[in-house]
Amino acid sequence: MKHHIISGACGFVGRNFVKHLLKTTNDIIIAIDDLSIGTNPLTWLEDKTEKKFKNISILGKDERLYFWQTDFRNFLRKSLDEKDFMKNEFGLEVTRFDDVFHFAAIVGGRAKIDGDPLAVSLDLSIDAEFFYWVVKAKPKRVLYPSSSAAYPNSLQREETAVALKETDVNVNGDILGKPDMTYGWTKMTGEYLAHLAAKHYGVAVTCIRPFSGYGEDQDLSYPVPAIAARAARKENPFEVWGSGKQGRDFVHIDDVIDCTLTAMDKISDGSAINIGSGKLTSFIDLIKVFGKFAGYDPTIKPLLDKPVGVHSRYCNMDYVKETLNWEPKISLEEGMKRVYDTALKLYV
Ligand SMILES: NC(=O)c1ccc[n+]([C@@H]2O[C@H](COP(=O)([O-])OP(=O)(O)OC[C@H]3O[C@@H](n4cnc5c(N)ncnc54)[C@H](O)[C@@H]3O)[C@@H](O)[C@H]2O)c1
């Protein structure tokens, strides 16, 4: 029986991984989240069966999901310091953890990244304790989610924007630029710790740099579901942060999961891969896509006092195609239609 850990298991990426692993494996999943952002699994699991063991909720009829609401650092410290911790606190016999997916982080949207950078910088503390634990606990495989925000801002300006390649930032070489606020600095540091954990301690680590992940169940503080909800209500004029000409590389969460699991089977040296569509879409174009679904053509109203981040952030997916033989399967139209259909049900 395999035992996987998912930190930040109740956030957007984490809960989609939990649901995927419950569906596609027979393994035990240890889900940790302090619920600072995420919501209790009973709000998003279909099977609401719950059994209690001390502080742990054992969820589902087949009792494979073990949820502990706590700061992930608390779990890491106790797991190192307390003898028979998993047996005593979870009632589980675990000799060695299998896959560890580390999604616990303070993320937020643009307003948080620009407006509260020292709150976001607490991710340095979470990641430092995480990799300290990794090299002692030596799980079989580790997934570290870096981000497109690790790329240098200088390659994402209006006049200089390029499709970002994995080699444009290399923590194991000489190429480092200035990343996006404390969020990007943390991710670059995390990649460096991942590299050290793999090289010096022999742990299998895979890093991913997802671009703008989106999905049907994403929080309304993120642009895609927020724009979908407003289009579903036929907002006109349609407000957009900044000029709306800034662009991102949108990738559906199902593709993020698929690519991540493919990468974990093939990459273990701590190096990072892009996960994106390889296409740049401006926010104005995104509004047009949703306008088409809603059957109207709104007037765009730019909100020039709002934070917008870099001008153009998109990736080159050639390396992933060559090394993993992987390409995204969900087109922008198809993925956004799924989000729109959900927004119609939830917000109109
Ligand atoms: N969503 C994307 O498109 C995207 C893109 C690039 C990278 N990532 C990375 O993926 C990871 C997950 O992102 P997300 O979009 O799911 O964010 P999210 O905010 O939805 O989820 C993060 C989860 O971590 C939890 N959390 C925060 N601090 C914690 C702590 N100290 N202990 C335990 N739990 C804690 C929160 O409650 C939340 O449920 C992050 O590292 C993020 O940087 C996401």
Side-chain angles (χ1 to χ4, degrees), residues 30-286:
I30 295 146
I32 313 291
D33 199 300
D34 64 2
L35 300 188
S36 51
I37 294 290
T39 52
N40 189 293
L42 289 173
T43 62
W44 43 266
L45 285 175
E46 273 173 34
D47 181 350
K48 313 276 182 206
T49 315
E50 183 182 24
K51 198 170 112 182
K52 282 280 185 188
F53 180 85
K54 296 190 175 174
N55 291 318
I56 311 300
S57 297
I58 305 171
L59 300 161
K61 282 189 194 65
D62 53 3
E63 300 183 7
R64 288 194 294 125
L65 181 60
Y66 286 63
F67 170 59
W68 187 14
Q69 179 183 349
T70 191
D71 189 313
F72 189 42
R73 289 165 291 189
N74 187 33
F75 171 89
L76 298 172
R77 286 173 206 157
K78 282 180 180 288
S79 132
L80 288 183
D81 296 346
E82 293 179 17
K83 198 170 171 295
D84 295 327
F85 168 69
M86 289 306 294
K87 188 159 193 274
N88 295 338
E89 299 306 320
F90 286 77
L92 288 171
E93 296 280 356
V94 188
T95 41
R96 189 178 170 199
F97 293 106
D98 288 275
D99 293 346
V100 180
F101 302 87
H102 172 46
F103 298 119
I106 295 156
V107 182
R110 197 70 241 167
K112 181 101 182 166
I113 290 171
D114 281 354
D116 201 357
L118 289 182
V120 176
S121 75
L122 288 175
D123 288 340
L124 289 164
S125 151
I126 302 172
D127 287 356
E129 292 208 35
F130 174 63
F131 280 107
Y132 180 77
W133 175 88
V134 161
V135 300
K136 294 204 174 310
K138 293 227 160 75
K140 289 196 186 136
R141 304 194 303 180
V142 172
L143 186 274
Y144 177 72
S146 176
S147 166
S148 52
Y151 282 109
N153 291 339
S154 60
L155 299 177
Q156 303 171 69
R157 299 201 178 107
E158 190 168 2
E159 58 288 358
T160 56
V162 290
L164 298 158
K165 295 192 301 291
E166 284 81 355
T167 47
D168 287 333
V169 56
N170 181 1
V171 295
N172 183 28
D174 294 326
I175 305 171
L176 296 177
K178 185 179 175 207
D180 191 356
M181 300 296 292
T182 49
Y183 183 65
W185 282 102
T186 301
K187 296 303 187 185
M188 210 159 68
T189 307
E191 283 193 25
Y192 186 55
L193 302 182
H195 159 71
L196 293 177
K199 187 171 175 209
H200 289 259
Y201 300 85
V203 184
V205 189
T206 312
C207 292
I208 51 168
R209 294 179 189 149
F211 279 63
S212 293
Y214 71 93
E216 294 87 303
D217 64 338
Q218 199 173 24
D219 189 89
L220 275 187
S221 61
Y222 285 84
V224 169
I227 290 173
R230 290 193 277 128
R233 292 195 296 265
K234 288 204 165 57
E235 178 179 291
N236 203 0
F238 207 105
E239 292 185 347
V240 62
W241 285 17
S243 67
K245 290 181 186 154
Q246 72 277 15
R248 294 292 180 269
D249 184 331
F250 296 103
V251 56
H252 193 275
I253 184 68
D254 290 352
D255 274 335
V256 174
I257 293 174
D258 190 38
C259 185
T260 302
L261 295 173
T262 306
M264 287 174 76
D265 287 339
K266 297 192 179 161
I267 298 172
S268 57
D269 64 353
S271 61
I273 54 147
N274 286 336
I275 305 184
S277 67
K279 297 190 183 93
L280 182 66
T281 304
S282 74
F283 282 90
I284 291 178
D285 285 340
L286 188 64

Side-chain angles (χ1 to χ4, degrees), residues 327-339:
E327 284 182 285
K329 293 167 190 66
I330 301 169
S331 69
L332 185 83
E333 289 265 327
E334 183 192 339
M336 295 302 169
K337 183 69 167 60
R338 291 194 203 171
V339 177

